Amino acid sequence: MSSSCFHCGQAIPDGDLVLKQINESEQKFCCHGCASVCEVIHEAGMESFYQRTPDGEQLSPPPAPNKDIEFFDYDEVQSQYVTDLNHRREITLMSEAIHCAACVWLIEHTLAKMEGIIVASVNFTNKQIKLKWDNDKIKLSNIIKCLNAIGYDATPYDASNSEAAFKKANRDLLYRLGFAGFAMMNVMWFSIALYSGADQDSEFRGYFHWLELIVATLTLAYSGQPFLKGAYTSIKARTVGMDVSISLGILTTYFYSFWVTVQPNHIGDVYFDTLIDFMFLLLIGRYLEAISKNKAIDASRRLMDLQPKVARLLKAGEEQIVPVRTLVKGAEIIVKPGEQFPVDGIVKAGESTVNESMLSGESREVLKSPGARVAAGTLNVDGRLTVTVNAILQDTQLGRIVEMVEEAQGSKAPIQCTADKIMPWFVTTTLTLAAASLVFWYFNAGIEFAIMTATAVLIITCPCAFGLATPMAIAVASGVSARHGILIKNGTVLEILHSIDHFVFDKTGTLTKGQMKLVDYHFESFVDEAQLLLEVGSIEQHSEHALGKAIAENIKARYHLNYTDWLEIEQFRAFPGQGVIGLHEGVQIQIGTAKWLDDLDIEIPILFMSLAESKAEQACTAVWIAREGECIGVLFLEDEIRPEAVELIKRLKEKGKRVTLLSGDLTVVANRVAEQLGGMDVIAEVLPEDKNRVIKDLQKQGQTVAMVGDGVNDAPALVRSDVGIALGSGTDVSMDSADIILINNNLLSVDTAIELSSRTLKTIKQNIASSIAYNVIMVPLAMAGVLTPLIAAITMPLSSLVVIGNAARIRTFFSRKAIAKRQQGDS
């Protein structure tokens, strides 16, 4: 019969029983960790912890010890989590092992006994430990070790997480929207009762008015807060924005209705239901706008996450794991296979291939040998390297890219909605007309009629339609496009995409597939082509190199092979950056670079070399094959152009757009790709950090620029451009930095997005025009006293309904009839 652990309460597996004396009594434990934790708890006099643990509650086994806890003692590391680096410091730790009130008691009482601890407070709900300590008396690592000793993992918590902050704000807006909706449904019943005749009975009339007043007051205080706060901010800044007009209409309606309510002998109508309807509709617009504005707020964080926080420092012949911040120029570090480089540096010893695609966007892996430069964030594939540190953190190539992303984000001015441009004029005119009506009718018909007329003017001219004109059209366009593979993260770009006059494309992975394809080969005449290709594929399928994988996959697809069809290969060996060797039926085959074959004293025929030079001008990569020391063939691989790329470039040219290919490749390669695409401008041999500069220079020339890319190196340019477009198959950072993501990975969606932009802007202009026409007709009637506030409240939503209905028509953009019509127009 299995027994349970004395500490954690979990069953003890067979063969894992650990016995230990606790208070002169032998107890059973499931592991040495639980035994040690229990011993520490009893030695500290905290044995009442077990009495405080709820019945049936099982504790987690103690966490595995963290070997790198000392990192957190460095000021450079603590600066990421601690505000003031003085002797008294404050930090928040996170521990997932906290799961009951007993855990809270144990942690707080244990830490309270430690010298140097000022405050230790545990939040059970979010599993956080708020800690204040004297850094001169105790180190943070010792505090964490103490927590580990009693069974709790602990790591610093970053409270400035931007994504969490956005979710909190969005959730708050959703709560306000829900409250307004709930209030609207309830007040509507009161209004129906009044409209049905209850307002004829003074007793019932007053009763329902007070009920509506209570609900409206609560709704105004909670759901109306964003508008009132925005209006206060605008007035304080001496500007007139949409919130000013909205708040004025809301408050005027509220106080007039309040006045009618508190005057029981006064015959008049209240408009609390209209007030709540205003806020509900406007909050819907605010919420839709908020979720569409959530763009690349943490692209910089994702970029920096590519760079390791620790490094293997080589000191006196021994490896030490240290924070990257503590490294200095000239220090030597070790980077093992499968690890990312934590710094920019120069290889001192060792050879390895390095995957630089996350920075360069290029698919080829690069051989690094002594004297070669390596960049932080790139991946060491298959060899151990000793690297001399040249730059760390912000000074690395990756750090400069991060800096450029942040700079571009700050310099990119937000697109101002057409409605916002009209709003100051609209609000000023509304206030003037309302004031004029109040004064005129005060002297001609008395205060009551004057207030009703002025209120009718404010109600009927409430800028709800203006407020919805842009975000509603953008929301509909964004939703319908997302269902067809075009994710519009920043809806305002729909206002300007159609007016872009210069489209700049990254090459690798954007205009091309980013996948090497076997396009040609040449063998000696005595060679059995099919047999040799099968042998080559069988060898390369063991390789981890990008070219090797591409060769194997292409041969497999060419002959419709399964993995079981590969030949048996013996003594496979890979030589990083050079090639591979394998034996088939006792015959040795070498596959690799020309330089490698030359090092092996294998002579390459002149005919093969001439052919390779010719293919190089066509952007082809040569891979050589030798059998038993004799070169017998060469393979040519090429990055395949996306099938829809040619059609897209053609369409953009027909629209009068300027098109440029931007690439880090050799000029001869980039020019060849441009020719295959039908001709376009070429800017080649551009370093990753220079792509941002190219976009900036084009903008200085007065051009509006759209950047289409997919790699980390494209991120600064995507943000710098007026519109950034990323492919869904690209990196997380490029998608975070873009305004539009092509989830369907179809380049023709760029043209579709341009057409959708034109349609959306047309709809926005129609919405604003209809709203203006409505006000031109209705405002004079309200000023003349023809329209009462009640009639105004009934007719006011008409302009909003027209805007919403017109925006909904955008949904037909992707209908078969609309697509066919656009295609006929193109032809």
Side-chain angles (χ1 to χ4, degrees):
M1 181 177 178
S2 63
S3 56
S4 59
C5 177
F6 180 73
H7 170 70
C8 68
Q10 299 184 20
I12 301 176
D14 294 337
D16 290 344
L17 176 64
V18 176
L19 299 175
K20 198 171 191 69
Q21 291 289 330
I22 302 294
N23 289 347
E24 300 180 356
S25 177
E26 189 175 69
Q27 302 295 345
K28 299 178 180 179
F29 299 92
C30 65
C31 63
H32 290 283
C34 281
S36 299
V37 169
C38 182
E39 187 175 29
V40 170
I41 291 175
H42 278 78
E43 288 177 354
M46 298 291 176
E47 58 270 12
S48 59
F49 162 72
Y50 295 104
Q51 282 74 51
R52 296 172 182 271
T53 305
D55 292 339
E57 181 80 31
Q58 289 189 340
L59 307 178
S60 300
N66 189 337
K67 298 179 181 179
D68 306 324
I69 291 177
E70 286 76 13
F71 291 161
F72 298 120
D73 290 337
Y74 292 98
D75 286 348
E76 294 87 350
V77 176
Q78 287 191 21
S79 64
Q80 302 176 51
Y81 312 103
V82 177
T83 304
D84 297 319
L85 292 175
N86 48 35
H87 68 283
R88 288 197 171 192
R89 303 184 180 185
E90 183 175 349
I91 196 172
T92 299
L93 302 176
M94 176 74 75
S95 177
E96 293 296 334
I98 299 173
H99 47 67
C100 68
C103 297
V104 177
W105 179 88
L106 177 62
I107 293 173
E108 290 182 346
H109 281 73
T110 301
L111 294 181
K113 291 187 175 185
M114 298 182 69
E115 184 181 2
I117 298 292
I118 302 172
V119 175
S121 175
V122 179
N123 188 320
F124 170 62
T125 303
N126 55 23
K127 301 185 178 183
Q128 292 179 5
I129 306 169
K130 291 280 187 181
L131 191 66
K132 291 183 181 179
W133 81 101
D134 190 333
N135 198 58
D136 293 338
K137 296 181 179 179
I138 187 171
K139 297 299 182 184
L140 181 59
S141 61
N142 292 333
I143 300 174
I144 297 176
K145 286 178 180 178
C146 178
L147 290 170
N148 289 169
I150 58 174
Y152 298 93
D153 60 311
T155 55
Y157 171 72
D158 184 9
S160 61
N161 190 291
S162 58
E163 185 177 356
F166 165 77
K167 289 181 178 179
K168 183 178 182 299
N170 218 30
R171 185 168 58 249
D172 178 71
L173 188 60
L174 187 60
Y175 286 158
R176 297 181 192 277
L177 173 62
F179 189 91
F182 178 77
M184 182 183 70
M185 290 186 290
N186 284 276
V187 168
M188 192 61 66
W189 288 110
F190 303 151
S191 300
I192 291 173
L194 289 170
Y195 297 153
S196 299
D199 61 335
Q200 302 301 318
D201 188 312
S202 59
E203 181 180 352
F204 285 108
R205 176 175 176 272
Y207 174 72
F208 282 117
H209 281 186
W210 279 103
L211 284 177
E212 288 187 345
L213 172 62
I214 294 172
V215 176
T217 301
L218 294 173
T219 307
L220 178 62
Y222 181 62
S223 298
Q225 187 184 47
F227 309 113
L228 299 176
K229 188 176 180 180
Y232 172 77
T233 303
S234 294
I235 293 172
K236 190 176 180 180
R238 298 182 181 181
T239 60
V240 180
M242 186 182 297
D243 283 335
V244 173
S245 180
I246 290 175
S247 297
L248 189 58
I250 288 174
L251 293 175
T252 303
T253 305
Y254 174 81
F255 284 113
Y256 174 76
S257 300
F258 176 81
W259 180 70
V260 171
T261 301
V262 298
Q263 295 290 333
N265 297 323
H266 176 75
I267 303 300
D269 297 301
V270 296
Y271 304 99
F272 293 120
D273 55 338
T274 304
L275 166 73
I276 296 173
D277 289 349
F278 287 165
M279 290 186 286
F280 180 69
L281 287 172
L282 291 169
L283 284 170
I284 289 177
R286 285 282 173 94
Y287 181 72
L288 293 175
E289 190 175 2
I291 59 178
S292 68
K293 284 182 177 179
N294 183 29
K295 56 174 296 191
I297 55 176
D298 61 351
S300 299
R301 180 181 61 81
R302 285 182 178 271
L303 276 168
M304 288 308 297
D305 283 345
L306 294 172
Q307 184 171 349
K309 301 296 186 295
V310 297
R312 301 178 186 273
L313 176 65
L314 186 61
K315 192 172 184 179
E318 296 183 358
E319 291 182 23
Q320 299 178 10
I321 299 180
V322 300
V324 172
R325 289 179 179 273
T326 64
L327 295 175
V328 296
K329 188 174 181 179
E332 294 182 2
I333 63 170
I334 298 296
V335 183
K336 296 182 178 181
E339 294 182 346
Q340 290 177 302
F341 289 91
V343 299
D344 282 3
I346 299 175
V347 176
K348 181 179 180 180
E351 278 194 354
S352 178
T353 52
V354 175
N355 187 333
E356 297 182 336
S357 61
M358 48 75 62
L359 276 181
S360 67
E362 306 301 327
S363 56
R364 297 182 181 89
E365 292 171 348
V366 182
L367 174 65
K368 299 293 183 180
S369 54
R373 293 182 178 274
V374 292
T378 57
L379 179 66
N380 182 21
V381 178
D382 51 20
R384 176 188 170 102
L385 295 176
T386 301
V387 177
T388 302
V389 177
N390 195 35
I392 66 171
L393 302 175
Q394 297 94 329
D395 296 328
T396 64
Q397 185 178 4
L398 179 62
R400 291 195 296 272
I401 290 178
V402 172
E403 183 180 356
M404 287 185 287
V405 169
E406 293 174 344
E407 179 190 349
Q409 286 176 332
S411 64
K412 186 174 182 178
I415 305 301
Q416 189 177 26
C417 296
T418 308
D420 287 337
K421 297 176 183 177
I422 296 175
M423 191 51 57
W425 167 84
F426 181 85
V427 173
T428 303
T429 303
T430 297
L431 296 176
T432 303
L433 294 177
S437 300
L438 180 67
V439 172
F440 178 82
W441 289 112
Y442 173 75
F443 290 107
N444 290 276
I447 183 62
E448 183 177 336
F449 188 80
I451 291 177
M452 291 185 67
T453 303
T455 303
V457 172
L458 285 171
I459 290 175
I460 210 162
T461 57
C462 181
C464 187
F466 276 113
L468 292 173
T470 299
M472 186 58 69
I474 288 175
V476 174
S478 300
V480 71
S481 63
R483 289 195 295 272
H484 291 83
I486 305 173
L487 179 61
I488 299 171
K489 292 170 54 185
N490 182 6
T492 54
V493 300
L494 285 171
E495 295 184 69
I496 61 168
L497 182 58
H498 77 287
S499 62
I500 294 291
D501 48 43
H502 196 157
F503 282 81
V504 178
F505 290 86
D506 171 53
K507 182 183 76 68
T508 304
T510 303
L511 291 174
T512 67
K513 292 182 177 181
Q515 301 170 351
M516 302 301 288
K517 182 180 179 181
L518 180 61
V519 293
D520 197 5
Y521 55 84
H522 187 80
F523 298 153
E524 291 285 10
S525 57
F526 58 83
V527 172
D528 184 336
E529 293 186 1
Q531 178 63 25
L532 181 57
L533 286 173
L534 184 57
E535 291 173 349
V536 169
S538 299
I539 294 173
E540 290 288 15
Q541 61 100 12
H542 293 286
S543 174
E544 293 296 324
H545 196 282
L547 278 176
K549 291 179 179 179
I551 292 171
E553 287 299 320
N554 276 271
I555 293 174
K556 178 172 168 285
R558 179 185 293 263
Y559 291 103
H560 306 288
L561 301 175
N562 296 317
Y563 288 108
T564 56
D565 297 326
W566 291 126
L567 302 175
E568 184 177 348
I569 300 298
E570 299 174 345
Q571 299 182 21
F572 172 84
R573 284 193 297 165
F575 298 84
Q578 302 177 88
V580 294
I581 291 177
L583 287 180
H584 172 59
E585 296 181 349
V587 178
Q588 186 182 75
I589 299 176
Q590 296 102 345
I591 310 167
T593 66
K595 182 178 181 304
W596 184 49
L597 294 192
D598 184 60
D599 292 341
L600 296 175
D601 293 328
I602 299 175
E603 184 178 353
I604 298 177
I606 296 177
L607 177 63
F608 283 11
M609 287 299 298
S610 300
L611 184 60
E613 292 172 0
S614 174
K615 289 290 185 180
E617 296 179 358
Q618 301 175 25
C620 290
T621 299
V623 178
W624 304 89
I625 306 169
R627 177 187 287 163
E628 292 294 335
E630 180 184 1
C631 181
I632 59 173
V634 59
L635 306 175
F636 297 105
L637 292 94
E638 183 181 50
D639 196 357
E640 186 179 3
I641 292 177
R642 291 179 180 269
E644 72 275 17
V646 176
E647 178 64 22
L648 173 63
I649 301 303
K650 176 184 175 183
R651 292 187 186 183
L652 292 177
K653 288 181 178 179
E654 290 175 350
K655 285 183 168 66
K657 311 293 184 183
R658 183 179 172 185
V659 186
T660 295
L661 186 152
L662 185 63
S663 175
D665 262 345
L666 297 173
T667 301
V668 63
V669 176
N671 283 332
R672 173 59 180 165
V673 172
E675 291 174 7
Q676 293 175 340
L677 292 168
M680 57 197 299
D681 294 337
V682 173
I683 302 177
E685 300 183 38
V686 179
L687 296 175
E689 56 264 35
D690 289 337
K691 289 189 175 183
N692 174 67
R693 177 188 54 76
V694 170
I695 299 297
K696 189 175 182 179
D697 290 343
L698 292 175
Q699 290 173 326
K700 284 182 178 180
Q701 298 171 15
Q703 302 179 42
T704 53
V705 183
M707 174 70 190
V708 187
D710 74 319
V712 170
N713 60 315
D714 299 322
L718 287 168
V719 180
R720 169 70 64 184
S721 61
D722 297 282
V723 178
I725 305 175
L727 295 180
S729 59
T731 63
D732 288 346
V733 173
S734 66
M735 289 188 284
D736 282 344
S737 302
D739 303 303
I740 298 175
I741 300 175
L742 306 183
I743 302 175
N744 55 16
N745 289 315
N746 189 335
L747 279 179
L748 288 178
S749 294
V750 173
D751 183 60
T752 304
I754 296 173
E755 296 289 341
L756 181 60
S757 170
S758 299
R759 173 68 178 273
T760 303
L761 186 62
K762 179 180 177 182
T763 300
I764 291 173
K765 291 179 178 179
Q766 290 173 344
N767 287 345
I768 293 176
S770 66
S771 182
I772 292 175
Y774 164 83
N775 283 283
V776 168
I777 297 171
M778 302 303 290
V779 170
L781 295 177
M783 292 181 66
V786 175
L787 300 179
T788 65
L790 178 59
I791 297 176
I794 295 173
T795 57
M796 184 279 298
L798 292 177
S799 59
S800 299
L801 292 175
V802 170
V803 166
I804 294 171
N806 190 44
R809 293 175 58 241
I810 297 178
R811 295 176 181 174
T812 64
F813 179 81
F814 286 95
S815 66
R816 292 182 180 179
K817 184 177 180 180
I819 294 174
K821 185 177 180 180
R822 289 198 299 273
Q823 290 177 344
Q824 290 177 0
D826 292 338
S827 60

